[in-house]
Amino acid sequence: MPAFRGVVLGGTFDRFHNGHKKLLTVAYNATKDLVLVGVTSQTMLIKKSNANLIEDEGKRRGHVESFFEDLTRGR
């Protein structure tokens, strides 16, 4: 049984991988109502080293959204 009414988390989600999937799956399974995911904007990444190598925000957000679409089909 889910332990929380909602879960909030955030990250860059660059090069979407199994660790991201695990994090999002655990968050999804821990709540019965809501998972709110923040994806770091390009503006926040400007000062990060190698910022030019990070996938654009739309692509990173798309990976997260697509994963949740697949995940929620089973609930």
Side-chain angles (χ1 to χ4, degrees):
M1 179 148 190
F4 303 101
R5 286 185 40 216
V7 175
V8 178
L9 58 96
T12 305
F13 297 99
D14 188 43
R15 311 287 184 245
F16 198 74
H17 55 75
N18 286 338
H20 294 126
K21 293 176 183 179
K22 180 69 174 178
L23 174 68
L24 296 173
T25 300
V26 168
Y28 179 78
N29 288 329
T31 183
K32 58 184 175 183
D33 292 325
L34 172 74
V35 177
L36 180 64
V37 180
V39 177
T40 306
S41 70
Q42 294 299 127
T43 305
M44 289 184 68
L45 296 172
I46 290 172
K47 293 182 181 178
K48 187 173 175 102
S49 63
N50 299 317
N52 60 317
L53 300 177
I54 296 173
E55 295 174 315
D56 78 32
E57 182 181 347
K59 185 172 186 175
R60 293 181 287 115
R61 188 182 315 121
H63 288 306
V64 172
E65 290 171 354
S66 178
F67 181 75
F68 267 105
E69 287 172 7
D70 292 344
L71 194 60
T72 58
R73 284 190 189 115
R75 192 178 256 188

